[in-house]
């Protein structure tokens, strides 16, 4: 089934965030605040980033906190792959993997490259909330998405598949699942596997693609 409109976007992240519990909102705000002060407002960090932008070890160390804090949070898209859904219905203690589909460490690089865009905390919070969006996948599918999407083994950070096309290129269809308490009672409805990405981020990702 072909879809032309994605349900995964910064707008959907903000809408879901607004409906989340006060506790969850606080957790996201606190994490965003720490990152904003430590990495966006700090002139020392900016100098360190500029000086070591192409040093693989520095880049990993400076973007890892974005991943760690986003990984500890989850704003559900309400979407799941077929394999993960079928295994959830089988039970037997199966737990699907929460894939943070906007790739926090990749977006962290973009943010540090363009920190002037994010001096306003409200703007930063909106982007960080987007980074917490998750899709339920099987562990093997998560590995496939990771290996097929990014190559960071060498001195250059290569984006093999841009964020918007991750699930398309991986051949993973997505489904919206019902909110019944039990997975055995839940049903699924086909949904788009496209991810809506801010134009400025997508342009930056394309500049790091082998085809650019």
């Amino acid at each position: 089934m072909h879809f032309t409109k994605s349900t995964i976007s910064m707008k959907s992240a903000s809408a879901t965030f607004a409906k989340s519990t006060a506790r969850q909102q606080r957790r996201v705000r606190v994490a965003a605040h720490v990152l904003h002060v430590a990495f966006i407002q700090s002139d020392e960090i900016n100098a360190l980033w500029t000086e070591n932008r192409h040093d693989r070890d520095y880049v990993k160390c400076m973007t890892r906190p974005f991943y760690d804090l986003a990984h500890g949070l989850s704003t559900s898209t309400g979407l799941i792959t077929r394999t993960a859904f079928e295994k959830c219905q089988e039970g037997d203690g199966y737990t699907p993997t929460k894939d943070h589909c906007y790739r926090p460490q990749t977006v962290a690089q973009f943010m540090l490259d363009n920190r002037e865009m994010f001096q306003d905390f409200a703007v930063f919070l909106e982007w960080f909330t987007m980074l917490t969006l998750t899709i339920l996948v099987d562990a093997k599918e998560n590995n496939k998405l990771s290996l097929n999407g990014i190559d960071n083994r060498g001195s250059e950070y290569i984006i093999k598949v841009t964020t918007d096309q991750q699930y398309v290129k991986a051949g993973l269809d997505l489904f919206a699942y019902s909110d019944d308490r039990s997975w055995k009672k839940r049903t699924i409805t086909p949904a788009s596997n496209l991810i809506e990405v801010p134009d400025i981020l997508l342009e930056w990702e394309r500049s790091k693609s082998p085809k650019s």
Side-chain angles (χ1 to χ4, degrees):
M1 188 176 293
H2 178 69
F3 295 88
T4 58
K5 184 67 176 178
S6 173
T7 60
I8 311 167
S9 66
M10 183 184 292
K11 184 177 180 180
S12 71
S14 296
T16 303
F17 174 75
K19 296 176 184 177
S20 62
T21 65
R23 175 59 181 157
Q24 174 69 357
Q25 289 187 24
R26 174 173 169 74
R27 291 180 67 215
V28 172
R29 286 181 182 277
V30 168
H33 189 203
V34 169
L35 289 173
H36 190 253
V37 171
F39 290 93
I40 302 301
Q41 293 186 328
S42 170
D43 290 334
E44 289 83 0
I45 286 292
N46 182 50
L48 192 64
W49 177 258
T50 301
E51 182 180 348
N52 299 285
R53 178 63 181 91
H54 299 291
D55 186 306
R56 176 184 174 186
D57 294 327
Y58 272 96
V59 169
K60 283 188 174 182
C61 284
M62 295 175 73
T63 57
R64 181 70 189 192
F66 287 77
Y67 172 83
D68 287 340
L69 288 173
H71 191 263
L73 301 163
S74 176
T75 301
S76 176
T77 59
L79 299 176
I80 191 169
T81 61
R82 181 178 291 280
T83 297
F85 178 71
E86 290 175 349
K87 289 187 176 182
C88 282
Q89 287 209 308
E90 290 172 4
D92 298 324
Y94 176 79
T95 301
T97 298
K98 294 179 180 179
D99 173 44
H100 286 73
C101 55
Y102 279 98
R103 301 188 291 203
Q105 278 188 271
T106 298
V107 178
Q109 288 195 42
F110 169 78
M111 287 177 159
L112 292 170
D113 279 348
N114 299 277
R115 65 191 281 269
E116 68 283 352
M117 282 180 55
F118 302 101
Q119 293 302 309
D120 184 340
F121 178 67
V123 174
F124 183 85
L125 176 61
E126 187 175 35
W127 278 70
F128 181 72
T129 300
M130 179 183 76
L131 298 188
T132 69
L133 281 178
T134 56
I135 297 170
L136 297 181
V137 302
D138 184 64
K140 289 183 179 180
E141 293 172 335
N142 192 53
N143 290 336
K144 181 179 182 180
L145 288 164
S146 178
L147 292 173
N148 290 355
I150 301 292
D151 183 354
N152 61 357
R153 294 169 297 176
S155 58
E156 294 298 321
Y157 190 86
I158 299 173
I159 297 178
K160 297 190 288 185
V161 179
T162 52
T163 297
D164 60 322
Q165 295 292 318
Q166 286 182 87
Y167 282 77
V168 176
K169 295 294 186 181
L172 296 175
D173 292 330
L174 293 177
F175 302 84
Y177 55 88
S178 63
D179 58 3
D180 298 86
R181 290 180 63 85
S182 168
W183 275 108
K184 289 186 180 298
K185 294 182 179 180
R186 288 181 179 178
T187 57
I188 53 174
T189 304
S192 173
N193 61 356
L194 292 170
I195 299 173
E196 186 176 308
V197 180
D199 289 342
I200 192 168
L201 173 59
L202 193 56
E203 182 179 345
W204 178 89
E205 287 189 355
R206 287 171 177 159
S207 74
K208 298 189 176 301
S209 166
K211 296 179 181 179
S212 64

